[in-house]
Amino acid sequence: MGPDPDSPLCSAKGCRADAVWVLAWNNPKLHTPERRKTWLTCEEHREHLSAFLGVRGFLKDVVKLEDWESPGGAGAPAG
């Protein structure tokens, strides 16, 4: 069975798998400390993309997509 067309997809180049993880990151040379950009990743690419961001000092957090999207989760707006 293929990926769900309504589900977010992995950010890895060429990957069409459903995203499971959110990698929150920022580039301190470009972004304010509180700014978070995100890459979505499947289980298979989580370690590779985390390492790519980590060696550059960009990776800030790794969160399950379901937790990121939940009310009060890391990706929810502060209220």
Side-chain angles (χ1 to χ4, degrees):
M1 184 168 172
D4 179 343
D6 295 327
S7 291
L9 298 178
C10 180
S11 298
K13 185 175 182 178
C15 185
R16 306 305 298 162
D18 289 341
V20 179
W21 296 93
V22 175
L23 307 180
W25 63 277
N26 80 5
N27 179 340
K29 292 182 181 178
L30 302 175
H31 307 121
T32 59
E34 65 279 353
R35 171 119 187 246
R36 292 293 181 267
K37 297 187 61 87
T38 57
W39 281 356
L40 303 178
T41 182
C42 64
E43 191 67 49
E44 179 181 350
H45 292 111
R46 181 176 64 96
E47 286 299 321
H48 172 74
L49 292 177
S50 293
F52 178 88
L53 292 169
V55 318
R56 290 158 178 80
F58 294 177
L59 187 62
K60 302 302 177 192
D61 206 1
V62 179
V63 180
K64 280 279 211 180
L65 180 60
E66 62 196 30
D67 295 337
W68 184 266
E69 294 177 331
S70 69

Coordinates of all heavy atoms in Angstrom, one line a residue:
M1 N 0.8 -1.2 0.0 CA 0.0 0.0 0.0 C 0.9 1.2 0.0 O 1.8 1.3 0.8 CB -0.9 0.0 1.3 CG -1.9 1.1 1.3 SD -3.0 0.7 2.6 CE -3.9 2.2 2.7
G2 N 0.6 2.2 -0.8 CA 1.4 3.4 -1.0 C 1.1 4.5 0.1 O 0.2 4.3 0.9
P3 N 1.8 5.6 0.0 CA 1.5 6.6 1.0 C 0.1 7.2 0.8 O -0.4 7.2 -0.3 CB 2.6 7.7 0.7 CG 3.2 7.3 -0.6 CD 2.8 5.9 -0.9
D4 N -0.4 7.8 1.9 CA -1.7 8.4 1.8 C -1.5 9.8 1.1 O -0.7 10.6 1.6 CB -2.2 8.6 3.3 CG -3.5 9.3 3.4 OD1 -4.0 10.0 2.4 OD2 -4.1 9.3 4.5
P5 N -2.3 10.1 0.1 CA -2.1 11.3 -0.6 C -2.4 12.6 0.2 O -2.0 13.7 -0.2 CB -3.1 11.2 -1.8 CG -4.0 10.1 -1.5 CD -3.4 9.2 -0.5
D6 N -3.1 12.4 1.3 CA -3.5 13.6 2.2 C -2.5 13.7 3.3 O -2.5 14.7 4.1 CB -4.9 13.4 2.7 CG -5.9 13.5 1.6 OD1 -5.7 14.2 0.6 OD2 -7.0 12.8 1.8
S7 N -1.5 12.8 3.5 CA -0.6 12.8 4.5 C 0.7 13.6 4.1 O 1.1 13.6 3.0 CB -0.1 11.4 4.9 OG -1.2 10.7 5.5
P8 N 1.3 14.3 5.1 CA 2.5 15.0 4.8 C 3.6 14.0 4.4 O 3.6 12.9 4.9 CB 2.9 15.7 6.1 CG 1.7 15.7 7.0 CD 0.9 14.5 6.5
L9 N 4.5 14.4 3.5 CA 5.5 13.4 3.0 C 6.9 13.8 3.5 O 7.1 14.9 3.9 CB 5.6 13.5 1.4 CG 4.3 13.1 0.7 CD1 4.5 13.2 -0.8 CD2 3.9 11.7 1.0
C10 N 7.7 12.8 3.5 CA 9.1 12.9 4.0 C 9.8 14.0 3.1 O 9.6 14.1 1.9 CB 9.8 11.6 3.8 SG 11.5 11.6 4.3
S11 N 10.7 14.8 3.8 CA 11.5 15.8 3.1 C 12.7 15.3 2.4 O 13.4 16.1 1.7 CB 11.9 16.9 4.1 OG 10.7 17.5 4.7
A12 N 13.1 14.1 2.6 CA 14.3 13.5 2.0 C 14.1 13.5 0.5 O 13.0 13.2 -0.1 CB 14.6 12.1 2.5
K13 N 15.1 13.9 -0.3 CA 15.1 14.0 -1.7 C 14.6 12.7 -2.3 O 15.2 11.6 -2.1 CB 16.5 14.4 -2.3 CG 16.5 14.6 -3.7 CD 17.8 15.1 -4.2 CE 17.8 15.4 -5.7 NZ 19.1 15.9 -6.2
G14 N 13.6 12.7 -3.1 CA 13.0 11.6 -3.8 C 12.2 10.6 -3.0 O 11.6 9.7 -3.6
C15 N 12.0 10.9 -1.7 CA 11.2 10.0 -0.9 C 9.8 10.4 -0.9 O 9.5 11.6 -0.8 CB 11.7 10.0 0.6 SG 10.8 8.9 1.7
R16 N 8.9 9.5 -1.1 CA 7.4 9.7 -1.2 C 6.7 9.1 0.0 O 5.5 9.0 0.0 CB 6.9 9.3 -2.5 CG 7.6 9.8 -3.7 CD 7.7 11.3 -3.8 NE 6.4 11.9 -3.9 CZ 6.1 13.2 -3.7 NH1 7.1 14.0 -3.4 NH2 4.9 13.7 -3.7
A17 N 7.4 8.7 1.0 CA 6.8 8.0 2.2 C 6.1 9.0 3.1 O 6.5 10.2 3.1 CB 7.9 7.2 3.0
D18 N 5.2 8.5 3.8 CA 4.5 9.4 4.8 C 5.5 9.8 5.9 O 6.3 9.1 6.3 CB 3.3 8.6 5.5 CG 2.1 8.4 4.6 OD1 2.0 9.1 3.5 OD2 1.3 7.5 4.9
A19 N 5.4 11.1 6.2 CA 6.2 11.6 7.3 C 5.7 11.1 8.7 O 4.5 11.0 8.9 CB 6.1 13.2 7.3
V20 N 6.6 10.8 9.6 CA 6.3 10.3 10.9 C 7.0 11.3 11.9 O 6.5 11.4 13.0 CB 6.9 8.9 11.1 CG1 6.6 8.4 12.5 CG2 6.3 8.0 10.1
W21 N 8.0 12.0 11.6 CA 8.8 12.8 12.5 C 8.9 14.2 12.0 O 8.9 14.5 10.8 CB 10.2 12.3 12.6 CG 10.3 10.9 13.3 CD1 10.3 9.7 12.6 CD2 10.3 10.6 14.7 NE1 10.4 8.7 13.5 CE2 10.4 9.2 14.8 CE3 10.3 11.4 15.8 CZ2 10.4 8.6 16.0 CZ3 10.3 10.8 17.0 CH2 10.4 9.4 17.2
V22 N 9.0 15.2 12.9 CA 9.3 16.6 12.6 C 10.7 16.9 13.1 O 11.0 16.7 14.3 CB 8.3 17.5 13.2 CG1 8.7 19.0 13.0 CG2 6.9 17.2 12.7
L23 N 11.6 17.4 12.3 CA 12.9 17.9 12.7 C 12.8 19.4 12.8 O 12.6 20.0 11.7 CB 14.0 17.4 11.7 CG 14.1 15.9 11.4 CD1 15.2 15.7 10.4 CD2 14.2 15.1 12.7
A24 N 12.8 19.9 13.9 CA 12.8 21.4 14.1 C 14.2 21.9 14.2 O 15.1 21.4 14.9 CB 12.0 21.7 15.4
W25 N 14.5 22.9 13.4 CA 15.9 23.4 13.2 C 15.9 24.9 13.0 O 14.8 25.5 12.6 CB 16.6 22.7 12.1 CG 16.0 22.9 10.8 CD1 15.0 22.2 10.2 CD2 16.5 23.8 9.8 NE1 14.7 22.6 8.9 CE2 15.6 23.6 8.6 CE3 17.5 24.7 9.7 CZ2 15.8 24.3 7.5 CZ3 17.6 25.5 8.5 CH2 16.8 25.3 7.4
N26 N 17.0 25.5 13.1 CA 17.3 26.9 12.6 C 18.7 27.1 12.3 O 19.6 26.4 12.8 CB 16.7 27.9 13.5 CG 17.5 28.3 14.7 OD1 18.7 27.8 14.9 ND2 17.0 29.1 15.6
N27 N 19.0 28.0 11.5 CA 20.4 28.4 11.1 C 20.7 29.6 11.9 O 20.1 30.7 11.6 CB 20.5 28.6 9.6 CG 21.9 29.0 9.2 OD1 22.7 29.5 10.1 ND2 22.2 28.9 8.0
P28 N 21.5 29.6 13.0 CA 21.7 30.8 13.8 C 22.3 32.0 13.1 O 22.2 33.1 13.6 CB 22.6 30.2 14.9 CG 23.2 29.0 14.4 CD 22.2 28.4 13.4
K29 N 22.9 31.7 11.9 CA 23.4 32.9 11.1 C 22.3 33.6 10.4 O 22.5 34.7 10.0 CB 24.5 32.4 10.1 CG 25.7 31.9 10.8 CD 26.7 31.5 9.7 CE 28.0 31.0 10.4 NZ 29.0 30.5 9.5
L30 N 21.2 32.9 10.2 CA 20.0 33.5 9.5 C 18.8 33.8 10.3 O 18.0 34.7 10.0 CB 19.7 32.6 8.3 CG 20.7 32.3 7.3 CD1 20.2 31.3 6.3 CD2 21.2 33.6 6.6
H31 N 18.6 33.0 11.3 CA 17.3 33.0 12.1 C 17.5 33.5 13.5 O 18.5 33.2 14.1 CB 16.6 31.6 12.1 CG 16.5 31.0 10.7 ND1 17.1 29.8 10.3 CD2 15.9 31.5 9.6 CE1 16.8 29.6 9.1 NE2 16.1 30.6 8.6
T32 N 16.5 34.1 14.1 CA 16.5 34.4 15.5 C 16.4 33.1 16.3 O 15.9 32.1 15.8 CB 15.3 35.3 15.9 OG1 14.1 34.6 15.5 CG2 15.3 36.6 15.1
P33 N 16.9 33.1 17.5 CA 17.0 31.8 18.3 C 15.6 31.1 18.5 O 15.6 29.9 18.5 CB 17.5 32.3 19.7 CG 18.3 33.5 19.4 CD 17.5 34.2 18.2
E34 N 14.5 31.8 18.5 CA 13.2 31.2 18.8 C 12.6 30.7 17.5 O 11.7 29.9 17.5 CB 12.3 32.1 19.5 CG 11.9 33.4 18.7 CD 12.9 34.5 18.7 OE1 13.9 34.5 19.5 OE2 12.7 35.5 18.0
R35 N 13.1 31.1 16.3 CA 12.5 30.6 15.0 C 12.8 29.2 14.8 O 13.9 28.7 15.1 CB 13.1 31.5 13.9 CG 12.8 30.9 12.5 CD 12.0 31.9 11.7 NE 11.5 31.4 10.5 CZ 11.9 31.7 9.3 NH1 12.9 32.7 9.2 NH2 11.4 31.1 8.2
R36 N 11.8 28.4 14.3 CA 12.0 27.0 14.0 C 11.5 26.8 12.6 O 10.3 27.1 12.3 CB 11.2 26.1 15.0 CG 11.8 26.1 16.4 CD 13.2 25.5 16.5 NE 13.7 25.5 17.8 CZ 14.5 26.4 18.3 NH1 14.8 27.5 17.6 NH2 15.0 26.3 19.5
K37 N 12.3 26.2 11.8 CA 11.9 25.7 10.5 C 11.8 24.2 10.7 O 12.3 23.7 11.7 CB 13.0 26.0 9.5 CG 13.2 27.6 9.3 CD 14.1 27.9 8.2 CE 13.7 27.5 6.8 NZ 12.7 28.3 6.1
T38 N 11.1 23.6 9.8 CA 10.8 22.1 10.0 C 11.1 21.3 8.7 O 10.8 21.8 7.6 CB 9.4 21.9 10.4 OG1 8.5 22.4 9.5 CG2 9.1 22.5 11.8
W39 N 11.6 20.2 8.9 CA 11.7 19.1 7.9 C 10.9 18.0 8.4 O 10.9 17.6 9.6 CB 13.1 18.7 7.7 CG 13.9 19.6 6.8 CD1 13.6 20.7 6.2 CD2 15.3 19.4 6.6 NE1 14.6 21.2 5.5 CE2 15.7 20.4 5.7 CE3 16.3 18.4 6.9 CZ2 17.0 20.6 5.3 CZ3 17.5 18.5 6.5 CH2 17.9 19.6 5.6
L40 N 10.1 17.4 7.5 CA 9.3 16.2 7.9 C 10.1 15.0 7.4 O 10.7 15.1 6.3 CB 7.9 16.2 7.2 CG 7.1 17.5 7.6 CD1 5.8 17.4 6.8 CD2 6.9 17.6 9.1
T41 N 10.0 13.9 8.1 CA 10.8 12.7 7.7 C 10.1 11.4 8.1 O 9.3 11.3 9.0 CB 12.2 12.7 8.4 OG1 12.9 11.6 7.9 CG2 12.2 12.8 9.9
C42 N 10.3 10.4 7.2 CA 9.8 9.1 7.5 C 10.8 8.4 8.5 O 11.8 9.0 8.8 CB 9.7 8.3 6.2 SG 11.3 8.0 5.4
E43 N 10.4 7.3 8.9 CA 11.3 6.5 9.9 C 12.6 6.2 9.3 O 13.7 6.4 9.9 CB 10.6 5.2 10.3 CG 11.3 4.5 11.5 CD 11.2 5.3 12.8 OE1 10.1 5.8 13.1 OE2 12.2 5.5 13.4
E44 N 12.6 5.8 8.0 CA 13.9 5.5 7.3 C 14.9 6.6 7.2 O 16.1 6.4 7.3 CB 13.6 5.0 5.9 CG 14.8 4.5 5.1 CD 14.5 4.1 3.7 OE1 13.3 3.9 3.4 OE2 15.4 3.9 2.9
H45 N 14.5 7.8 7.0 CA 15.4 9.0 6.8 C 15.6 9.8 8.1 O 16.4 10.8 8.0 CB 14.8 9.8 5.7 CG 14.9 9.1 4.4 ND1 13.8 8.7 3.7 CD2 16.0 8.8 3.6 CE1 14.2 8.1 2.6 NE2 15.5 8.1 2.5
R46 N 15.0 9.5 9.2 CA 15.1 10.3 10.4 C 16.5 10.5 10.8 O 17.0 11.6 11.1 CB 14.3 9.8 11.5 CG 14.3 10.6 12.8 CD 13.4 10.1 13.9 NE 13.8 8.8 14.3 CZ 14.6 8.5 15.4 NH1 15.1 9.5 16.1 NH2 14.9 7.3 15.7
E47 N 17.3 9.4 10.9 CA 18.7 9.5 11.4 C 19.5 10.3 10.4 O 20.4 11.1 10.9 CB 19.2 8.1 11.6 CG 18.7 7.4 12.9 CD 19.0 8.2 14.2 OE1 20.1 8.7 14.3 OE2 18.1 8.2 15.0
H48 N 19.4 10.0 9.2 CA 20.2 10.7 8.2 C 20.0 12.2 8.2 O 20.9 13.0 8.2 CB 19.9 10.1 6.8 CG 20.6 10.9 5.7 ND1 22.0 10.8 5.4 CD2 20.1 11.7 4.7 CE1 22.3 11.6 4.4 NE2 21.2 12.2 4.0
L49 N 18.7 12.6 8.1 CA 18.4 14.1 8.1 C 18.8 14.7 9.4 O 19.3 15.9 9.5 CB 17.0 14.3 7.7 CG 16.6 13.9 6.3 CD1 15.1 14.1 6.1 CD2 17.4 14.7 5.3
S50 N 18.6 14.0 10.6 CA 19.0 14.5 11.9 C 20.5 14.8 11.9 O 20.9 15.8 12.4 CB 18.6 13.6 13.0 OG 17.2 13.5 13.1
A51 N 21.2 13.8 11.4 CA 22.7 13.9 11.4 C 23.1 15.1 10.5 O 24.0 15.8 10.9 CB 23.3 12.6 10.9
F52 N 22.5 15.2 9.4 CA 22.8 16.3 8.4 C 22.7 17.7 9.2 O 23.5 18.5 9.1 CB 21.9 16.3 7.2 CG 22.1 17.4 6.2 CD1 23.1 17.2 5.2 CD2 21.4 18.5 6.3 CE1 23.3 18.3 4.3 CE2 21.6 19.6 5.4 CZ 22.5 19.4 4.4
L53 N 21.5 17.9 9.8 CA 21.3 19.1 10.6 C 22.2 19.2 11.8 O 22.7 20.3 12.1 CB 19.8 19.2 11.0 CG 18.8 19.4 9.8 CD1 17.4 19.2 10.3 CD2 19.0 20.7 9.1
G54 N 22.4 18.1 12.5 CA 23.1 18.1 13.7 C 24.6 18.5 13.6 O 25.1 19.3 14.4
V55 N 25.3 18.0 12.5 CA 26.7 18.4 12.3 C 26.9 19.8 12.1 O 27.9 20.4 12.3 CB 27.4 17.5 11.3 CG1 27.0 16.1 11.4 CG2 27.2 18.0 9.9
R56 N 25.8 20.5 11.6 CA 25.9 21.9 11.3 C 25.5 22.7 12.5 O 25.5 24.0 12.5 CB 25.0 22.2 10.1 CG 25.6 21.7 8.8 CD 24.6 21.5 7.7 NE 25.2 21.0 6.5 CZ 25.6 19.8 6.3 NH1 25.4 18.8 7.2 NH2 26.1 19.4 5.1
G57 N 25.0 22.1 13.5 CA 24.5 22.8 14.7 C 23.1 23.4 14.6 O 22.8 24.3 15.3
F58 N 22.4 22.9 13.6 CA 21.1 23.5 13.3 C 19.9 22.7 14.0 O 18.9 23.3 14.2 CB 20.8 23.4 11.8 CG 21.7 24.2 10.9 CD1 21.5 24.2 9.5 CD2 22.6 25.1 11.4 CE1 22.3 24.9 8.7 CE2 23.4 25.8 10.6 CZ 23.3 25.8 9.2
L59 N 20.1 21.4 14.3 CA 19.0 20.7 14.8 C 18.6 21.1 16.3 O 19.5 21.2 17.1 CB 19.3 19.2 14.8 CG 18.2 18.2 15.2 CD1 17.0 18.3 14.3 CD2 18.8 16.8 15.3
K60 N 17.4 21.4 16.5 CA 16.9 21.8 17.8 C 16.0 20.8 18.5 O 16.1 20.7 19.7 CB 16.1 23.2 17.7 CG 16.9 24.3 17.1 CD 18.2 24.6 17.8 CE 19.0 25.6 17.1 NZ 20.4 25.8 17.6
D61 N 15.2 20.1 17.7 CA 14.3 19.1 18.4 C 13.9 18.1 17.3 O 13.8 18.4 16.1 CB 13.1 19.9 18.9 CG 12.4 19.2 20.0 OD1 12.9 18.1 20.5 OD2 11.4 19.7 20.5
V62 N 13.6 16.9 17.8 CA 13.0 15.8 17.0 C 11.7 15.4 17.7 O 11.8 15.0 18.9 CB 13.9 14.6 16.8 CG1 13.3 13.5 16.0 CG2 15.3 15.1 16.2
V63 N 10.6 15.5 17.0 CA 9.3 15.3 17.6 C 8.4 14.4 16.7 O 8.4 14.6 15.5 CB 8.5 16.6 17.9 CG1 7.2 16.4 18.6 CG2 9.4 17.5 18.7
K64 N 7.7 13.5 17.3 CA 6.7 12.7 16.5 C 5.7 13.7 15.8 O 5.3 14.6 16.5 CB 5.9 11.7 17.3 CG 6.7 10.4 17.6 CD 6.6 9.5 16.5 CE 6.6 8.1 16.9 NZ 6.5 7.2 15.8
L65 N 5.4 13.5 14.6 CA 4.5 14.4 13.9 C 3.1 14.5 14.6 O 2.6 15.6 14.7 CB 4.2 13.9 12.4 CG 3.3 14.7 11.6 CD1 3.8 16.1 11.4 CD2 3.1 14.0 10.2
E66 N 2.6 13.4 15.1 CA 1.3 13.4 15.8 C 1.4 14.3 17.1 O 0.5 15.0 17.4 CB 0.9 12.0 16.2 CG 1.8 11.3 17.1 CD 1.5 9.8 17.2 OE1 1.1 9.2 16.2 OE2 1.8 9.2 18.3
D67 N 2.6 14.3 17.8 CA 2.7 15.2 18.9 C 2.9 16.6 18.5 O 2.5 17.6 19.2 CB 3.9 14.7 19.8 CG 3.8 13.4 20.4 OD1 2.6 12.9 20.5 OD2 4.8 12.7 20.6
W68 N 3.6 16.9 17.4 CA 3.9 18.2 16.9 C 2.5 18.9 16.6 O 2.3 20.1 16.8 CB 4.7 18.2 15.7 CG 5.2 19.5 15.1 CD1 4.5 20.2 14.1 CD2 6.3 20.3 15.5 NE1 5.2 21.3 13.9 CE2 6.3 21.4 14.7 CE3 7.3 20.1 16.5 CZ2 7.2 22.4 14.8 CZ3 8.2 21.1 16.6 CH2 8.2 22.3 15.8
E69 N 1.6 18.1 16.0 CA 0.3 18.7 15.5 C -0.7 18.7 16.6 O -1.7 19.4 16.4 CB -0.2 17.8 14.3 CG 0.7 17.9 13.1 CD 0.2 17.0 12.0 OE1 -0.4 16.0 12.3 OE2 0.4 17.4 10.8
S70 N -0.5 18.1 17.7 CA -1.6 18.0 18.8 C -1.7 19.3 19.5 O -0.7 20.1 19.6 CB -1.2 16.9 19.8 OG -0.1 17.2 20.5
P71 N -2.9 19.7 20.0 CA -3.0 20.9 20.8 C -2.0 20.9 21.9 O -1.9 20.0 22.6 CB -4.5 20.8 21.3 CG -5.2 19.9 20.4 CD -4.1 18.9 19.9
G72 N -1.3 22.0 22.0 CA -0.3 22.2 23.1 C 1.0 21.5 22.7 O 2.0 21.6 23.5
G73 N 1.1 20.9 21.5 CA 2.3 20.3 21.1 C 3.4 21.3 20.7 O 3.1 22.5 20.7
A74 N 4.6 20.9 20.4 CA 5.7 21.8 20.1 C 5.4 22.7 18.9 O 5.9 23.8 18.8 CB 6.9 21.0 19.8
G75 N 4.5 22.3 17.9 CA 4.3 23.1 16.8 C 3.0 23.9 16.9 O 2.7 24.7 16.1
A76 N 2.3 23.7 18.1 CA 1.1 24.5 18.3 C 1.4 26.0 18.6 O 2.4 26.2 19.3 CB 0.3 23.9 19.4
P77 N 0.6 26.9 18.2 CA 0.9 28.3 18.5 C 0.7 28.5 20.0 O -0.2 27.9 20.6 CB -0.1 29.1 17.7 CG -1.0 28.1 17.0 CD -0.5 26.7 17.3
A78 N 1.5 29.4 20.6 CA 1.4 29.7 22.0 C 0.1 30.4 22.2 O -0.3 31.3 21.4 CB 2.5 30.5 22.5
G79 N -0.6 30.1 23.3 CA -2.0 30.7 23.5 C -2.1 31.5 24.7 O -1.5 31.8 25.6

